[in-house]
């Protein structure tokens, strides 16, 4: 017989209707008269059988369980069955031996099948007493409760590193007096681009611009001592001060914005003599239409001088500002006797220009052959000859216009007789294609261009009317020796046809440069020279 599935309701109903008849078969074979009488009594009084009272329940149990003895004593059994409704108290109680035998069978499952109505009644009462039925037993609670997690094995502890202790510098009485003066200084409390240390532990409230880290990395390999240097887009003079500290003979710092008050405060606090040239209008041939040269004489003090050209002379540190000074840098530096330059730093400017190629050409016209040009800019890390326009500010907000592809930037430099020697870069995390890259270039006499490129030489012709207003190739042939440069630790990849560094392939072969120490790589400390 196939065992019915408890999940099928139809199968369960058939099983319940068959079980009482199947259980009665042994008694029919041995006691026909008793069985017929018992069946008739059951039909007459179904309540007494199907729903036994508590007094009748102990009488039925021994009778149902004592089936082996029924065959031996039929008369006693018939009498006991007939007397059940009349005198339930007179039914003999089984002896201890019989009780001991009957108890295991009373706990067996067949007894549950013999009382289907009682079972249905108990099930129907479950919703009325949910606490009594649904309350988990101790055994169920023991199963339901999760075992406590095993304690992990103690890992080997690394030696505890001492936490960095912020060292508060001790100021001398003179430094303390200067610090109090700074706290009351409106310029010091105002807007700054760079964080520059003016006194031990006291910095200007600038921003940590990460791009200056790649510029400073390449400057380490550049020979500076005794050289004539130009810093274009100087802001508050961070790079210019580094050049001066490394022994440059002349440093010229230029910006189209006027940061004169900030420069006055910084250079005065650091003890650097400087001359300030401010141009508000375009220069013309002859005397400056409006020029004011100011020489620093202590903190916050300036003395105007005569604007005649004869009175202008190069200082160890010159600061030039004005809206048209970039276009006129060649003319201004020639008048000051500091043209052409040995080293030019062009950091953070190119992507602000409406015409970046003309900007590079102007820079090339300021450095002699054999000199060095350090260019740092925002760019797109791809190998296409494309300049990506910043439409809708998709790359950068504010006055930013073109982000050149790295491969295009490489070609432009070689087109303008600038041979890439080294590079340092980092990739923007939010926009992986966008990067900041610094490139050290050598100003050379011939274009490092493939021989198959027959168009490029047109740009280098001396009589090219489109380029001669920005560069005079003959003036740049001074015969000076090459400015020494030691490449960084990058894995440089070179072009086979030109021998110059392949910027895009080098970026693919090297990781993005990390910034591990803001104080050493971005901020300008009192003792920093790189």
């Amino acid at each position: 017989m196939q065992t019915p599935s408890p999940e099928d309701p139809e199968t369960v109903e058939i099983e319940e209707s068959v079980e009482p008849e199947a259980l009665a078969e042994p008694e029919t074979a041995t006691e026909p008269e008793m069985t017929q009488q018992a069946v008739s009594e059951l039909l007459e009084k179904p309540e007494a059988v199907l729903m036994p009272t508590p007094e009748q329940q102990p009488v039925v149990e021994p009778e149902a369980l004592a089936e082996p003895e029924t065959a031996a004593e039929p008369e006693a059994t018939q009498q006991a069955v007939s007397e059940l409704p009349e005198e339930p108290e007179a039914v003999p109680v089984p002896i201890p031996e019989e009780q001991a035998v009957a108890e295991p069978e009373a706990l067996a499952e067949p007894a549950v099948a013999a009382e289907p109505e009682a079972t249905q009644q108990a099930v129907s009462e479950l919703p009325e007493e949910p606490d009594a039925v649904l309350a988990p037993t101790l055994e169920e609670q023991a199963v339901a409760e999760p075992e406590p997690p095993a304690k992990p094995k103690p890992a080997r502890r690394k030696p505890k590193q001492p936490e960095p202790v912020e060292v508060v510098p001790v100021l001398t009485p003179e430094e303390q007096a200067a610090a109090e003066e700074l706290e009351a200084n409106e310029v010091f409390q105002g807007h700054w681009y760079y964080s520059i240390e003016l006194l031990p532990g006291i910095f200007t409230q600038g921003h940590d611009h990460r791009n200056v880290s790649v510029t400073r990395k390449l400057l380490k390999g550049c020979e500076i001592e005794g050289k004539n240097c130009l810093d274009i887009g100087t802001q508050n003079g961070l790079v210019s001060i580094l050049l001066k500290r490394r022994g440059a003979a002349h440093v010229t710092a230029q910006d189209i914005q006027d940061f004169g008050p900030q420069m006055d405060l910084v250079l005065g606090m650091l003890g650097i003599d400087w001359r300030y040239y401010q141009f508000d209008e375009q220069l013309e041939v002859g005397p400056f239409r409006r020029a004011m040269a100011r020489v620093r004489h202590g903190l916050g003090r300036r003395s105007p001088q005569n604007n005649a050209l004869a009175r202008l002379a190069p200082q160890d540190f010159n600061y030039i500002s004005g809206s048209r000074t970039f276009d006129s840098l060649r003319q201004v530096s020639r008048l000051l006797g500091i043209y052409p330059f040995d080293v030019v730093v062009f950091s953070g400017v190119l992507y602000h220009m409406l015409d970046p190629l003309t900007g590079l050409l102007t820079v090339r016209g300021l450095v002699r052959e054999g000199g060095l040009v350090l260019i740092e800019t925002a760019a797109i890390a791809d190998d296409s000859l494309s300049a990506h326009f910043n439409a809708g500010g998709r790359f950068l907000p504010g006055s930013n216009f073109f982000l050149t592809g790295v491969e295009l930037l490489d070609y432009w430099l070689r087109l303008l007789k600038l041979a890439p020697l080294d590079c340092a870069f980092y990739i923007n995390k939010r926009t992986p294609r966008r990067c900041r890259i610094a490139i050290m270039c050598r100003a050379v006499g011939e274009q490092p261009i493939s021989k198959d490129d027959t168009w490029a030489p047109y740009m280098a012709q001396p009589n090219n009317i489109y380029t001669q207003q920005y560069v005079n190739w003959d003036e740049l042939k001074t015969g000076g020796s090459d400015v020494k440069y030691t490449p960084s630790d990058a894995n440089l990849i070179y072009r086979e046809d030109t021998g110059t560094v392949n910027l895009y392939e080098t970026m693919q072969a090297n990781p993005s440069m990390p910034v591990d120490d803001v104080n050493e790589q971005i901020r300008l400390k009192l003792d920093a020279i790189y």
Side-chain angles (χ1 to χ4, degrees):
M1 178 178 177
Q2 186 177 1
T3 304
S5 172
E7 298 179 358
D8 188 354
E10 296 183 359
T11 305
V12 174
E13 182 179 358
I14 295 173
E15 183 181 9
E16 292 176 355
S17 62
V18 171
E19 276 185 353
E21 186 177 357
L23 294 175
E25 288 180 1
E27 297 179 356
T28 306
T30 55
E31 302 175 327
E33 297 179 0
M34 180 276 298
T35 304
Q36 294 176 1
Q37 182 179 0
V39 172
S40 61
E41 292 178 357
L42 289 174
L43 294 174
E44 295 175 0
K45 299 180 179 180
E47 296 82 0
V49 177
L50 297 178
M51 299 188 62
T53 61
E55 293 79 3
Q56 294 172 337
Q57 191 170 6
V59 178
V60 175
E61 289 180 354
E63 189 67 21
L65 298 173
E67 290 177 0
E69 297 179 2
T70 305
E73 299 176 350
E75 296 180 359
T77 304
Q78 293 176 3
Q79 182 179 1
V81 173
S82 62
E83 293 176 355
L84 283 176
E86 298 177 359
E87 296 179 2
E89 295 84 358
V91 178
V93 179
I95 60 176
E97 291 79 5
E98 295 175 348
Q99 190 174 13
V101 176
E103 286 178 356
E105 295 186 11
L107 297 175
E109 293 181 358
V112 177
E115 300 176 349
E117 296 184 1
T119 305
Q120 294 177 2
Q121 181 180 4
V123 173
S124 63
E125 292 176 356
L126 285 177
E128 300 177 2
E129 299 179 0
D131 298 334
V133 177
L134 300 178
T137 62
L138 294 177
E139 291 79 7
E140 291 174 341
Q141 289 181 4
V143 175
E145 292 179 358
E147 296 183 0
K151 295 182 179 180
K153 295 182 180 180
R156 294 183 179 180
R157 293 184 178 180
K158 296 181 179 180
K160 186 176 181 181
Q161 299 294 332
E163 296 182 0
V165 180
E166 183 178 357
V167 179
V168 180
V170 179
L171 302 179
T172 64
E174 294 78 7
E175 292 172 339
Q176 185 63 40
E180 294 175 359
E181 185 177 350
L182 283 177
E183 292 297 328
N185 191 299
E186 293 182 0
V187 176
F188 178 75
Q189 298 296 337
H191 170 75
W192 291 81
Y193 188 82
Y194 290 122
S195 295
I196 302 175
E197 190 175 23
L198 302 182
L199 291 169
I202 299 177
F203 289 80
T204 59
Q205 302 302 311
H207 302 282
D208 294 330
H209 295 283
R210 187 181 177 187
N211 64 298
V212 75
S213 63
V214 292
T215 300
R216 295 174 70 170
K217 180 178 181 178
L218 296 191
L219 274 179
K220 293 180 180 180
C222 186
E223 180 188 29
I224 298 298
E225 187 174 1
K227 298 297 184 289
N228 180 22
C229 302
L230 171 64
D231 177 24
I232 301 175
T234 188
Q235 293 281 342
N236 308 133
L238 185 148
V239 172
S240 300
I241 294 170
L242 287 174
L243 295 172
K244 182 60 181 175
R245 287 178 179 177
R246 292 182 59 187
H250 297 284
V251 175
T252 301
Q254 179 275 340
D255 206 296
I256 62 173
Q257 301 181 69
D258 182 20
F259 292 98
Q262 289 89 343
M263 294 292 290
D264 185 43
L265 177 60
V266 169
L267 298 176
M269 294 294 297
L270 299 181
I272 299 176
D273 290 334
W274 65 297
R275 183 161 290 177
Y276 176 31
Y277 300 95
Q278 182 183 25
F279 304 104
D280 294 334
E281 297 182 10
Q282 184 176 2
L283 298 175
E284 293 181 352
V285 177
F288 298 135
R289 177 176 296 179
R290 182 173 183 271
M292 181 177 291
R294 299 172 179 174
V295 181
R296 188 200 62 80
H297 293 291
L299 179 63
R301 295 179 58 189
R302 299 173 184 170
S303 59
Q305 293 185 349
N306 192 307
N307 63 358
L309 290 177
R311 301 292 300 274
L312 300 179
Q315 186 73 14
D316 289 347
F317 196 107
N318 305 297
Y319 176 64
I320 301 175
S321 71
S323 59
R324 301 302 300 271
T325 54
F326 179 76
D327 300 338
S328 307
L329 267 175
R330 186 158 56 115
Q331 184 178 1
V332 172
S333 59
R334 184 186 288 112
L335 292 172
L336 293 175
I338 53 178
Y339 168 85
F341 295 91
D342 299 312
V343 178
V344 176
V345 180
F346 188 52
S347 178
V349 179
L350 188 63
Y351 54 97
H352 291 296
M353 306 191 73
L354 290 171
D355 187 354
L357 181 57
T358 300
L360 287 176
L361 185 62
T362 302
V363 172
R364 179 62 182 90
L366 296 170
V367 61
R368 66 173 178 85
E369 286 187 13
L372 296 174
V373 177
L374 174 54
I375 298 170
E376 187 279 323
T377 184
I380 299 298
D382 63 14
D383 57 352
S384 67
L385 296 174
S386 304
H388 303 266
F389 187 61
N390 188 36
R394 58 176 179 151
F395 298 124
L396 294 167
S399 58
N400 305 283
F401 302 105
F402 287 96
L403 270 66
T404 57
V406 172
E407 186 69 15
L408 176 63
L409 187 59
D410 192 324
Y411 183 78
W412 276 357
L413 296 174
R414 292 181 288 117
L415 187 69
L416 302 178
K417 300 183 181 181
L418 292 172
L421 303 177
D422 196 2
C423 69
F425 70 95
Y426 65 85
I427 301 295
N428 185 279
K429 293 182 178 180
R430 292 176 295 180
T431 310
R433 294 181 61 215
R434 184 159 59 91
C435 67
R436 298 299 293 243
I437 183 170
I439 309 162
M440 184 66 76
C441 303
R442 171 85 62 197
V444 295
E446 300 293 335
Q447 291 174 319
I449 295 291
S450 173
K451 295 180 180 179
D452 298 333
D453 190 344
T454 59
W455 172 82
Y458 175 75
M459 289 288 293
Q461 292 179 359
N463 59 348
N464 188 324
I465 61 175
Y466 298 103
T467 62
Q468 63 184 0
Q469 60 178 320
Y470 302 105
V471 57
N472 187 323
W473 299 109
D474 293 334
E475 289 181 348
L476 302 178
K477 297 178 180 180
T478 60
S481 61
D482 290 350
V483 179
K484 295 180 181 180
Y485 179 73
T486 303
S488 63
D489 54 357
N491 179 22
L492 301 176
I493 308 298
Y494 293 88
R495 296 181 181 273
E496 295 181 359
D497 53 351
T498 63
T500 59
V501 172
N502 187 318
L503 299 179
Y504 180 75
E505 294 296 335
T506 299
M507 289 183 66
Q508 299 301 308
N510 291 272
S512 177
M513 193 190 86
V515 176
D516 302 319
D517 192 334
V518 174
N519 284 329
E520 296 296 331
Q521 295 176 275
I522 298 180
R523 299 171 185 169
L524 182 63
K525 300 184 66 177
L526 286 171
D527 56 351
I529 60 175
Y530 296 110

